[in-house]
Amino acid sequence: MSGQSLLVPGELSPTRPVPGNIRRPEYVGKPAPAPYTGPEVQTPETIEAMRIAGRIAAQAMEEAAKAIAPGVTTDQLDKVAHAYMCDHGAYPSTLGYRGFPKSLCTSVNEVICHGIPDSTVLRDGDIVNLDVTAYIGGVHGDNNATYLVGDVDEESRLLVERTRESLTRAIKAVKPGRQINVIGRVIESYAKRFGYGVVRDFTGHGISSAFHSGLIIPHYDSPHATTVMQPGMTFTIEPMLTLGTHEYDMWEDGWTVVTKDRRRTAQFEHTLVVTETGAEILTLP
């Protein structure tokens, strides 16, 4: 286990502007999004639009990841992803979502999810998750990945590798006619082989014209996740695995979620559409 000191909140930079010609999601400037009342199965036109949004999100994440290095602040990563999305006509979906102040999430070491980019400086040996969502053409594309900063200890490196593998296995389990809970069953059974915790209270979700549609994709074997997958359904899978407990604490900012035992955690995510034979990943660069 790395001997790194625990994270503390940093200083926020001013809100980054988005060009006025870029279409905003309906929730920007509001306390919360309007409830989604549309279908979970999307039209071919919506799915094609989601391919575009997903590709921009994936490329923005790749661009930000190129800047990851010891000495770089998480705010600098936000700046890169923000500029990439705006330059390609997309709105950064997290910016203004329920008041979130930045254009991606940066979750370092013990942060499970929703870390806010700020003046925090990445250190040699850290791991950092970048979670990027782009809104364009009236739809969202959402993805994330965990990256190594410099020379990372073996325990953390294996956690990152295995969390990526858990997502790969879960995607392969997606088939029309199966219940949603097969996804969590595959993730949880794989994670248990290594004694990892599987975060339960933060999940994958339905996504299309809504950032979060209300469809829940648990990453553990939930008896309640009995919705049957159908061709054209769009949702994210985003397993969060921990070196210790799956329990968590929330920072005072109301966003930053950290493991209760402060041990490290990793996450990977793709947006998918269910096909006639399996799943297509919509967040590919």
Side-chain angles (χ1 to χ4, degrees), residues 77-268:
L77 305 179
D78 181 80
K79 182 179 181 181
V80 173
H82 178 94
Y84 187 93
M85 285 185 272
C86 291
D87 288 349
H88 289 79
Y91 186 91
S93 301
T94 60
L95 185 61
Y97 179 79
R98 297 184 181 272
F100 192 84
K102 291 295 171 182
S103 299
L104 82 166
C105 302
T106 50
S107 301
V108 181
N109 296 346
E110 69 269 21
V111 180
I112 294 171
C113 57
H114 305 157
I116 300 174
D118 59 18
S119 61
T120 296
V121 176
L122 295 176
R123 302 161 297 181
D124 187 60
D126 283 342
I127 60 175
V128 57
N129 178 275
L130 305 184
D131 192 338
V132 181
T133 309
Y135 177 79
I136 188 172
V139 297
H140 301 268
D142 185 4
N143 67 163
N144 77 55
T146 302
Y147 299 90
L148 310 181
V149 185
D151 185 19
V152 175
D153 68 272
E154 181 75 354
E155 185 180 42
S156 299
R157 190 183 61 76
L158 286 172
L159 173 69
V160 171
E161 280 185 13
R162 290 164 176 167
T163 305
R164 181 192 292 112
E165 175 64 16
S166 76
L167 174 59
T168 299
R169 290 173 179 236
I171 292 170
K172 289 178 180 175
V174 173
K175 295 282 192 301
R178 290 181 173 176
Q179 292 183 342
I180 289 290
N181 58 13
V182 70
I183 294 168
R185 191 175 308 138
V186 165
I187 293 167
E188 188 173 40
S189 62
Y190 180 70
K192 279 183 174 178
R193 288 167 46 181
F194 311 104
Y196 295 154
V198 180
V199 173
R200 301 167 77 90
D201 290 352
F202 300 90
T203 67
H205 52 89
I207 183 171
S208 55
S209 59
F211 195 168
H212 301 87
S213 73
L215 176 67
I216 301 298
I217 312 295
H219 303 122
Y220 63 98
D221 188 3
S222 169
H224 307 295
T226 56
T227 300
V228 174
M229 291 182 267
Q230 304 174 57
M233 286 179 71
T234 51
F235 52 81
T236 73
I237 304 176
E238 44 188 298
M240 292 153 259
L241 305 187
T242 70
L243 289 175
T245 182
H246 69 271
E247 296 179 346
Y248 66 92
D249 292 321
M250 180 84 74
W251 280 6
E252 289 184 2
D253 62 25
W255 284 105
T256 307
V257 181
V258 296
T259 54
K260 188 168 279 291
D261 58 11
R262 303 303 191 265
R263 298 195 71 193
R264 289 186 168 189
T265 175
Q267 182 185 14
F268 284 83

